[in-house]
Amino acid sequence: MPRFDGPPDPLFTRINASLGFDRRLWREDVEGSRAHARTLARAEVISAEELEQLEVGLGQVAGELERGELDFEAGDEDIHMAIERRLTELVGPVGGKLHTGRSRNDQVATDLALFVRGRAERARGLIRALMGRLLALAEAHADWRMPGYTHLQRAQPVYLGHHLLAYFWMLERDEIRFAAAAGSTMAMPLGSGALAGLNWDLDRQATAEELGFARPSPNSIDAVSNRDFALDYLYAATVCATHLSRLGAEIVIWSSEEFGFCEPADEFASGSSIMPQKKNPDAAELLRAKAPRVLGSLSSLAGVLHALPLAYAKDLQEDKEALFDAVDTIELSLEAAERLLGGLRFDRQRLAAAAGDEMVAATDVADLLVRRGMPFREAHGVVGGLVREALERGIALSELDREDLGRHSELLDDSYYEVLSGDAWLDSKRSAGGTGAAPLAAQLATAREVLAALDEIQ
Ligand code: ARG
């Protein structure tokens, strides 16, 4: 470097280098470089023959990278410089022409946009697979009764299929968020130069089309400083990981001996080194614990961008490790969740026994009084009194006799015992979106349509 007197301090080299992690962008870098070389040739900045040499050389470099044969050198600060250095070794000085009309600032922004787009599309595919798994499970358990919870206290009975579909709709929203993240990568930074544009009038529209962008970025300063698409991806990943953490947490609780609602497959659980009776739901626990890590990546990048003056600053190099970690974490979590669910076995008896707890019909007893003209608030109080008396006397609600009932309200008669006797509770939930058999069948049909439509876009 002619501007400098001596070599850089080794510590400076260490803190400055990004090759250790940005080598992961090599495919996008080669793809962007190929498109840029063709753009240069179309503008007659390089000759057809030079383009040919560059294309052959880039192909060779890509081959070496693919096979893990490219030896990086101490001076290779980042993947962009490593590829150009190796290209020049292979094709001679013409390699140095590739960087005409390009800066690493628009180059790295372009590489990263391509990367984020590819990974957002991949996440969408994994989400669709998980939605398919949830839908199949919900169909298979559509009429299995279980207690629904609020505050983790038994609240009202629901069908297991209805509970599982709750996650289906959470994931549908995740799919939409990842699609939006892919959409926000659509303005191509390449052609913005370091920050101010180029001395060449390159056909940016053609380059954009070649690389799958919708359009060239309209402002060169914004283009080299923009990492919103990575933030969008990280936000989508954070919400998705949060959903998976709730699923993981429920599986952990449900597979405890206290609940005994489900059991993970042997291949998806671990034993204890000293307690032979144990089967631990590790994958579910890890799904539960990954979410804050992804959120950490989102807050890291938001922190990097916070108050950062335009346009490019080296701070932006710190975008990558957080992003890569989140990509790996969410992809692994989605795949693991799908496999975990695939092997999960539910215990119909345990679920039904828990759902048969009469206390969960308390709301329905209140509704009985409401149908007889009592205001809901008052009915709530009457049933509260019944529950209290049963608890104090250590008996079930159905063990209160007609005389006991009469002391609480003259509107209570034998239909009280019918409401408590079971099956009626669940299917009385007939509002759209509720758990009753009829709305649940409609919900399953809608879910099937939604998934089919998503698979069609794919
Ligand atoms: N490794 C750098 C990054 O990831 C590439 C851009 C370097 N640009 C520069 N002006 N030093 O951000």
Side-chain angles (χ1 to χ4, degrees):
M1 290 218 179
R3 166 116 169 41
F4 297 100
D5 282 339
D9 185 304
L11 259 182
F12 173 79
T13 303
R14 266 180 65 200
I15 195 172
N16 194 40
S18 55
L19 181 66
F21 46 89
D22 68 13
R23 62 175 68 183
R24 192 166 169 168
L25 295 174
W26 73 261
R27 281 195 178 77
E28 289 79 8
D29 201 68
V30 169
E31 193 189 345
S33 293
R34 282 199 171 113
H36 181 62
R38 288 196 269 268
T39 307
L40 291 175
R42 274 196 300 271
E44 295 174 8
V45 178
I46 60 173
S47 68
E49 195 189 321
E50 287 170 327
L51 170 63
E52 168 73 15
Q53 288 173 283
L54 290 175
E55 289 203 303
V56 170
L58 282 168
Q60 279 175 275
V61 176
E64 291 182 4
L65 282 158
E66 185 79 71
R67 294 187 298 275
E69 283 170 6
L70 197 153
D71 291 322
F72 293 113
E73 288 179 0
D76 294 339
E77 182 183 311
D78 56 27
I79 189 63
H80 324 292
M81 291 174 88
I83 289 177
E84 192 183 326
R85 190 260 309 154
R86 182 65 185 138
L87 174 70
T88 307
E89 276 170 13
L90 290 167
V91 302
V94 65
K97 292 203 174 187
L98 177 61
H99 213 53
T100 315
R102 186 174 75 168
S103 151
R104 273 187 298 155
N105 298 353
D106 58 352
Q107 186 178 355
V108 71
T110 303
D111 291 1
L112 205 68
L114 289 171
F115 175 82
V116 167
R117 190 187 312 152
R119 302 320 278 231
E121 292 303 343
R122 185 164 156 68
R124 293 177 71 192
L126 294 172
I127 287 173
R128 282 194 295 272
L130 182 54
M131 288 170 77
R133 172 64 67 190
L134 279 161
L135 179 54
L137 270 185
E139 274 167 342
H141 300 87
D143 59 351
W144 289 35
R145 295 142 48 93
M146 69 176 289
Y149 294 82
T150 60
H151 310 267
L152 200 54
Q153 308 289 324
R154 284 180 189 165
Q156 294 179 350
V158 295
Y159 285 120
L160 176 54
H162 187 55
H163 192 108
L164 291 168
L165 281 182
Y167 288 100
F168 179 94
W169 300 112
M170 289 149 91
L171 285 159
E172 189 215 9
R173 298 193 293 273
D174 290 330
E175 204 278 339
I176 292 170
R177 269 183 285 271
F178 276 110
S184 71
T185 66
M186 281 303 183
M188 182 189 69
L190 202 61
S192 300
L195 81 161
L198 308 173
N199 299 340
W200 315 90
D201 187 18
L202 302 181
D203 184 352
R204 295 187 68 212
Q205 183 62 42
T207 324
E209 277 162 28
E210 195 171 334
L211 288 172
F213 287 95
R215 58 196 165 273
S217 59
N219 181 302
S220 58
I221 294 177
D222 177 41
V224 297
S225 24
N226 174 30
R227 296 293 183 274
D228 291 2
F229 50 83
L231 280 178
D232 291 346
Y233 177 97
L234 287 170
Y235 178 65
T238 298
V239 180
C240 184
T242 303
H243 290 155
L244 298 182
S245 82
R246 299 178 77 170
L247 175 66
E250 294 212 304
I251 293 173
V252 172
I253 294 169
W254 289 355
S255 59
S256 72
E257 204 145 329
E258 281 69 14
F259 275 73
F261 287 179
C262 69
E263 191 183 327
D266 287 356
E267 318 84 88
F268 244 71
S270 75
S272 155
S273 48
I274 59 166
M275 294 167 284
Q277 82 283 12
K278 290 196 72 190
K279 183 170 180 186
N280 301 325
D282 302 47
E285 294 168 280
L286 288 163
L287 286 181
R288 187 169 63 177
K290 297 280 189 198
R293 172 169 166 173
V294 180
L295 171 63
S297 292
L298 172 61
S299 49
S300 290
L301 183 57
V304 165
L305 297 172
H306 167 79
L308 191 67
L310 304 181
Y312 180 86
K314 203 56 177 273
D315 306 50
L316 289 171
Q317 181 165 286
E318 282 292 313
D319 56 4
K320 293 174 199 61
E321 284 165 293
L323 175 67
F324 294 162
D325 187 71
V327 165
D328 293 339
T329 303
I330 197 65
E331 290 180 4
L332 176 62
S333 300
L334 283 165
E335 281 187 84
E338 197 272 326
R339 286 281 290 285
L340 171 65
L341 286 179
L344 208 58
R345 270 203 332 263
F346 288 95
D347 185 330
R348 188 166 196 160
Q349 256 93 52
R350 285 291 291 252
L351 287 158
D357 178 350
E358 280 181 355
M359 290 297 182
V360 298
T363 322
D364 295 82
V365 175
D367 281 345
L368 174 72
L369 292 169
V370 169
R371 276 197 288 271
R372 291 178 177 177
M374 189 183 282
F376 181 78
R377 284 282 157 233
E378 203 180 311
H380 186 279
V382 169
V383 178
L386 290 165
V387 168
R388 186 181 170 144
E389 179 173 346
L391 287 175
E392 274 170 7
R393 292 170 53 193
I395 58 173
L397 281 175
S398 57
E399 286 172 309
L400 293 168
D401 62 23
R402 283 297 303 267
E403 203 187 306
D404 299 328
L405 298 186
R407 270 187 284 107
H408 289 270
S409 163
E410 73 273 14
L411 292 179
L412 288 170
D413 56 20
D414 281 346
S415 15
Y416 167 84
Y417 301 102
E418 276 163 41
V419 170
L420 288 185
S421 73
D423 289 4
W425 311 335
L426 254 168
D427 290 327
S428 65
K429 295 286 175 288
R430 57 211 160 107
S431 61
T435 198
L440 179 53
Q443 187 188 169
L444 282 164
T446 310
R448 277 190 290 270
E449 278 165 30
V450 163
L451 195 59
L454 285 179
D455 284 336
E456 216 159 280
I457 312 173
Q458 174 55 7

